[in-house]
């Protein structure tokens, strides 16, 4: 059985190879370790192997792990769906939020970001595959949302995040990620961030300009949602 440290080196090697193939500096691609459903101990192991950025989807679960890991220098990213009543805790306990898809949530995060902390880094999630049920701002609404969010005082708009419909076709993966990149560039806001690519499609995402890949399964193994206290 491979350890988290082994998985981390395999994923780093994949990132490095994909960056090189795309003519990019490997250091231009950041690894976000997605630790949802995994215990604090798994984060501790990844941290000991050199990983500092962790992404969580469920607020209560994330806060519990943060409380267990106060001795580590971890940068926390919130990447899950956001309900209005969760914005205060998210604004207080995270450095990045990748999943903002409406102005009301952004306004609350800005108002609730504590004054002693730097502005909260924000990615706007875009519904890139046009899935009716999917979270994310519709592409045609993105420009208006982006300019409104860019004007909020306690947020720093960094870029876009997307979760494409899963595809095993590299051609299709590339085409979808290229649309995200084009949307970001079309905003002309000087945004430096593209949060896209997961365990199964990180190569295509990096080929199309990803600056953060969000990796769960390839680092921590398959997630088990069947245990009684696993979040849903
Ligand atoms: C779970 C999750 C990931 C990680 O997906 P893997 O396929 O396990 O690498 C990435 N991004 C988001 C938003 C997620 O919810």
């Amino acid at each position: 059985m491979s350890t988290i440290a082994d998985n981390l080196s395999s994923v780093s090697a994949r990132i490095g190879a994909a960056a090189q193939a795309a003519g990019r500096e490997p250091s231009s691609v950041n690894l976000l370790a997605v630790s949802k459903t995994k215990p604090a101990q798994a984060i501790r192991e990844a941290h000991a192997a050199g990983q500092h950025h962790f992404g969580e989807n469920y607020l209560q679960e994330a806060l519990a792990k943060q409380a267990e890991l106060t001795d580590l220098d971890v940068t926390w990213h919130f990447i899950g769906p956001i309900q209005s009543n969760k914005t205060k805790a998210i604004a207080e306990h995270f450095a990045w939020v990748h999943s903002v898809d409406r102005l009301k949530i952004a306004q609350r995060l800005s108002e609730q970001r504590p004054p002693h902390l730097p502005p909260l880094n924000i990615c706007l999630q875009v519904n890139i595959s046009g899935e009716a049920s999917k979270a994310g701002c519709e592409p045609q609404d993105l420009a208006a949302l982006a300019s409104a969010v860019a004007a909020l005082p306690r947020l720093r708009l960094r870029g876009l995040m997307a979760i494409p419909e899963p595809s095993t076709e590299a051609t299709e993966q590339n085409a979808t990620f290229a649309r995200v990149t084009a949307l970001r560039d079309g905003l002309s806001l000087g945004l430096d961030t593209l949060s896209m690519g997961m365990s199964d499609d990180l190569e295509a995402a990096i080929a199309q300009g990803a600056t953060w890949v969000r990796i769960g399964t390839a680092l921590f193994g398959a997630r088990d949602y069947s245990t009684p206290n696993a979040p849903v």
Side-chain angles (χ1 to χ4, degrees), residues 198-228:
M198 310 199 295
S199 292
D200 292 332
D201 57 13
L202 71 87
E203 282 82 5
I206 290 169
Q208 301 307 323
T211 62
W212 284 98
V213 290
R214 308 179 311 270
I215 309 298
T217 309
L219 287 175
F220 298 114
R223 288 178 290 275
D224 180 4
Y225 289 99
S226 67
T227 51

Side-chain angles (χ1 to χ4, degrees), residues 32-37 55-58 78-81 98-99 125 161-163 195-202 213-223 225:
L32 182 63
V34 176
S35 42
K36 64 173 180 239
T37 80
E56 291 279 346
N57 295 56
Y58 311 103
F78 193 83
I79 64 172
H98 293 231
S99 45
Q125 183 174 352
M161 183 273 246
I163 312 173
S195 169
M196 57 189 195
M198 310 199 295
S199 292
D200 292 332
D201 57 13
L202 71 87
V213 290
R214 308 179 311 270
I215 309 298
T217 309
L219 287 175
F220 298 114
R223 288 178 290 275
Y225 289 99

